Structures are given as C-alpha cells and as structure tokens.
Amino acid sequence: MAKQRWMLAAAALAALVAAPAGFAQSNDALKNDAATTGDVLTYGMGYNNQRYSPLKQINAGNAAKLQPVWSYSLNNSQSHESQPIVHEGVMYVTTHSQTMAINAVSGKQIWKQDVELPQDVFKYTCCGILNRGVAIFDGKIYRTTLDAQVVALDAKTGKQLWKSKAANYQDGHALTGAPLVVNGVVMTGIGGGEYGTRGFIDGWDANTGKQLWRIYTTAAPGEKGGNTWPGDTASKGGAPTWLTGAYDPDLDLVYWGTGNAGPWNPQVRMGDNLYVCSVLAFKPKTGELVWHYQFSPNDPYDYDATEVGMLVDMKIAGQDRKVLAQANRNGFFYVLDRTNGKLLAANPYVKVNWADKIDMASGRPVESEQTKKIRAGQSAEIWPSVLGGKNWTPMSWNPATGLAYANTLNMSWPYQIAKPEYKRGEWYLGIDFKGVTMPKSEPHGYLSAMDPMTGKSKWQMAWPGLPSMAGTLSTGGGLVFTGAATGEFMAVDADNGKKLWEFQTGSGIIGLPVTWEQGGTQYVSIVVGAGGVWALLGDERMANVPGGGSVWTFAIR
C-alpha cells in the first residue's frame, strides 16, 4: 500500500511538470477568481467559497431597477442546482443530461453536448436527478455524471476529450458535484451515502483523466482511525463527498466535507466512525491528509457536513485568524482554525435538542437526553430535522458586515431506530423514517444574517409557506441575492433584510446565483428549476410550483 501511494504521488508530480504552456496563467486566474469581477471561474466564486463579489454597480439604492436581460430554456423538467461558470463572455451550465455553452450577454446558445447515461441509472440516484456545475481550466470544461464518470470537454467546441470512471453506479454511487481544479489536479467527490457505500475523494490528471490518488473517507481496519468502526462496517459506512471543496493557496490545503454514516442506525456501528460528518484538510497534489475535524461523531441523524463552508480571515480576540466557518446541518455554527483544525467557536444557529452544547476542550458534542432516548431504542422528536439547520446549498460572506447569509430551516423529525438490512443498490437506513415535522405557528425557514462566532442572527427574513433551499450571493453593493421555492428571485438589503426587488422566474429556485461584469455592466444570473430533496418529501404545496429548467440573467438597463 505504501509503495502504491508513493507511485501515485510521483505520477501526480510528473503530470504537473509536464503541464502545457499557459498552465501557470490558468492557475493564477483560478487563484484570483474571488478578486476579479469579469469572470466566475470557480464553484464558490473563489477558492475561498465565500460567494462574495466586490461589484457594486447594482446596489441597495438601485436594485429595484433590475430587469431581465435574457432567459435560456434548459428543456429539462428535472431539478436544477447548477452554478454557472463565466469565462471570456461565455457561460457554462449543466443539467444531469447536457452541458451548455451560452453567450453570457445575449443568452444565445454556442454549443450543447449530451451526456450518455445508462437507462437504469435513475434507479440508483438519491435526492434529485441533477448536476451542480462544471470546473474550467486550461481550455477544458470538467463535469461529473450520474453514472459516476468524470468528463473533460473542449471549452470552445464541447467535444469530449476524456472520460474516467470513478465507481460502479449500480452500487449506489453517483457523481453530481462540480469538480475542483487545483494546480492541474481535478478533484471530485462521490454520492451514495444512503446505499451502503464507502465514500472517497479522487484526484485526476487534468490533461489525461488518469487517476492520481484517492482518499477513502471511512477508515478501514488497519488504517489510522480504523478502530472507530466495529468489524467491517467501514466498508458500507457512507461518508459521501458529493459537494465541492475549498482551497487555500497560501497553505496549499484543500478542505472537503464528508457526509452521513451508513446505515443511519448508529447502534450497529458503535464508535466515532471516522471520517463521517467531518472536514478533511489535505494536499491537492498527493491527497495527503493533514488534519481533520469531526462535527458529529457516530452521526445518528444524517447530519451531513458535505457543504464545507467558507474560508475567511477574521479577527478573534484581537488576533488575525485564518478560519473555516461552517453552518453545519447539526444546527451548530462552527469556526475552526484552518491551519490546524482547532475549534474556535461552536454555537447553535437554529433550534437544537439532540446535543446540549459542543465541548470546547474536546470539540465533541455533549449529547442530550433526547439522544440518549434514541440510543436506548425509544422514539423522540429531534431538532433540527434530517434536512438540517441548513441544507446543502452554500451560504455567502460579506466582509463589510462580518455576517454569513444562509437559508436556514425550522423543523424537526420523529426518530426511532430500526434493524437495517443491506441490499446492493437499495437504501440502507435502519430507522423508522417518517419525514419531517413543520411547526404550525412558526415559519418553516428563514433567510438569516448570522454572526459566525455566536451563531446569532442580526436579522431574519421569514419565508411564508415553503422554505427556501436556494443558495445566496453577497455583493459590495450591500445586497444578498437568493431565491424562493415558489420561483421569486430577489435582492435583499444585507444590513437589515429588507426585500428590495423580486422577479418571478416561473419555477422554484434551488440553485446558486452569481454575478460578473462585462462591457461596464454588472449582470446577475441564476439557474431555475424546482425539485431537489424537498420535492422528495412529498410536500403537497409543491404541486402549485411549475417544473421546468431555465437560466435567467438580469441587469440594470
């Protein structure tokens, strides 16, 4: 095993040395994405995943004048969670079945490439038939597919350049996340945490598609952390990695979140179960793990940490600190020193009853009486629900306000363990799943402006009826852009939560807004199309939300 790891590392270094001319320039562009405004080159609008733009042509004083510039039909009635990438006037967007290049100013299609999928792939797909976007590097577009393939396309023509298989989709594996490219290494995660799979993160050569390394996210017997799993339970232990990581070029560390343990019943895998519900910090060239932090040891409640959070530089107790800030699905807002994984803060940002607090010395949750009842085989109402205090969609950061903006959820779920039974390609839960419980007298979700160090909200904008599962975008114009499950795209004042503008897009929004400028004009874009995990819960109110995917772009004219 040691020899194999050494050979993979050597192959990675050789690939970097052999990279073509223009390689450094492309790397620099990716590293500077958060500071430049003419393009959107990374998932997260910068390696730091802050989803913040300094653009302020559109601001709190004139946002009400926003108008649609163009709309592009995706001709696809499935869920749509793709984040647009914009480079040199071309926008790249994905669905589960196609990749599109669109003129970013006119909305005219440049090319469209179909994804060839096996007919039975949807049988093994959890939580929405979708794709979350592309990565761009050195003239190539990279995307993932539901049958667990990684694909490279020519950015100018859409021609396929290479395809690499990550896993067997019939085991329950799927790829839905946007890749992350760092120094010529294309990194991808994997889905399938509900299917009795073993999670991993892969590194691929950007030019050839050759696998350079793999990090398994459950620790097998004989590996470091392997003693946190009984028997061979790590082999079906979950820890999926289906979202995109963040990267700190100064530290040369990639940060990637891991998801739930499998099965959900925690009693059959007693132990911390490393590395479920964790953040992993590793070297992009080799996949070498540098540190980890586990948010929910043993994970009884499907509290994914796949949405890794934001890399923020802030003052704490008078000291400049490089932190990773994550509003975890378990209901606590964590602030970690991203140089070493040390816990700096952990406070509830929604109602929490599964744990009394996070012990600051050990970093571990202090489990509540409710969780003790669950472990004893009794039933209990647990806050937050399986959907978390915040679901998968990323939050955003505004350095002027020092606040994180996210769509948070206000709901619980009835929980009782049951005997799990593993069958290949089928859900492997081990609980009596009865959905979620929504309070009758309170909103089911909010757009929240949160202080990462305390978890408290400066303001909250309640969602009337359906909660929002959309991402947020913060700008130098003092705005927060987000969308409603009922289709309204909107701009909100970052200081007070006042809604300044909205536009009905025609279908529910569960995607991620972006902004960029071209020719002296600032544009804002969003991919629209109802569905996702909320639709799977069977909320009857979704019947009033039309399906159908589209891309909308707005500006002040």
Side-chain angles (χ1 to χ4, degrees), residues 208-503:
T208 66
K210 180 181 179 181
Q211 186 182 48
L212 303 176
W213 49 258
R214 171 169 287 185
I215 304 170
Y216 279 105
T217 51
T218 65
E223 297 178 351
K224 185 177 180 180
N227 60 347
T228 64
W229 294 87
D232 68 346
T233 53
S235 66
K236 297 180 178 63
T241 54
W242 42 270
L243 283 179
T244 309
Y247 175 60
D248 185 329
D250 294 333
L251 299 174
D252 192 32
L253 287 179
V254 171
Y255 306 88
W256 211 287
T258 70
N260 62 284
W264 288 4
N265 182 335
Q267 303 304 89
V268 301
R269 45 176 174 77
M270 289 301 294
D272 283 356
N273 306 147
L274 292 175
Y275 299 90
V276 306
C277 297
S278 301
V279 58
L280 308 183
F282 59 87
K283 294 292 186 180
K285 291 182 182 179
T286 62
E288 175 194 356
L289 183 63
V290 176
W291 60 260
H292 78 276
Y293 181 90
Q294 188 173 43
F295 301 99
S296 303
N298 192 236
D299 181 35
Y301 302 121
D302 186 36
Y303 286 152
D304 279 344
T306 45
E307 204 285 286
V308 69
M310 310 176 301
L311 309 186
V312 179
D313 296 342
M314 59 169 49
K315 278 192 179 294
I316 300 177
Q319 284 188 305
D320 292 327
R321 304 296 291 262
K322 297 170 75 70
V323 308
L324 182 149
Q326 186 192 96
N328 194 275
R329 268 171 70 162
N330 70 16
F332 289 92
F333 205 129
Y334 292 81
V335 179
L336 306 176
D337 185 322
R338 69 175 183 268
T339 68
N340 55 23
K342 180 182 178 182
L343 179 64
L344 302 176
N347 294 288
Y349 65 96
V350 293
K351 182 176 178 179
V352 174
N353 78 346
W354 73 274
D356 294 330
K357 63 178 182 180
I358 304 299
D359 184 277
M360 292 302 295
S362 67
R364 300 176 65 85
V366 178
E367 292 189 345
S368 67
E369 290 301 318
Q370 297 290 88
T371 293
K372 292 175 183 176
K373 289 180 182 179
I374 294 296
R375 293 193 181 279
Q378 302 175 43
S379 62
E381 193 74 15
I382 299 297
W383 293 79
S385 78
V386 62
L387 298 177
K390 181 180 79 65
N391 204 250
W392 75 270
T393 44
M395 57 188 171
S396 60
W397 174 255
N398 188 320
T401 65
L403 298 173
Y405 300 88
N407 284 308
T408 60
L409 301 173
N410 181 38
M411 55 193 73
S412 59
W413 63 321
Y415 187 99
Q416 186 170 21
I417 60 177
K419 184 179 179 180
E421 182 180 1
Y422 173 77
K423 294 182 180 179
R424 182 181 182 236
E426 296 185 13
W427 277 36
Y428 181 51
L429 300 185
I431 70 162
D432 182 12
F433 185 61
K434 298 177 180 178
V436 303
T437 305
M438 294 172 282
K440 295 181 179 179
S441 59
E442 300 175 37
H444 303 154
Y446 301 86
L447 174 63
S448 301
M450 299 177 288
D451 180 342
M453 292 301 295
T454 66
K456 295 181 179 180
S457 293
K458 178 181 178 182
W459 56 258
Q460 289 186 313
M461 185 189 80
W463 292 106
L466 290 166
S468 174
M469 294 280 189
T472 68
L473 161 69
S474 294
T475 73
L479 299 174
V480 180
F481 287 92
T482 193
T486 46
E488 294 84 5
F489 186 51
M490 64 192 65
V492 175
D493 191 307
D495 286 325
N496 55 34
K498 180 182 177 182
K499 190 187 299 182
L500 302 173
W501 167 85
E502 73 175 15
F503 178 87

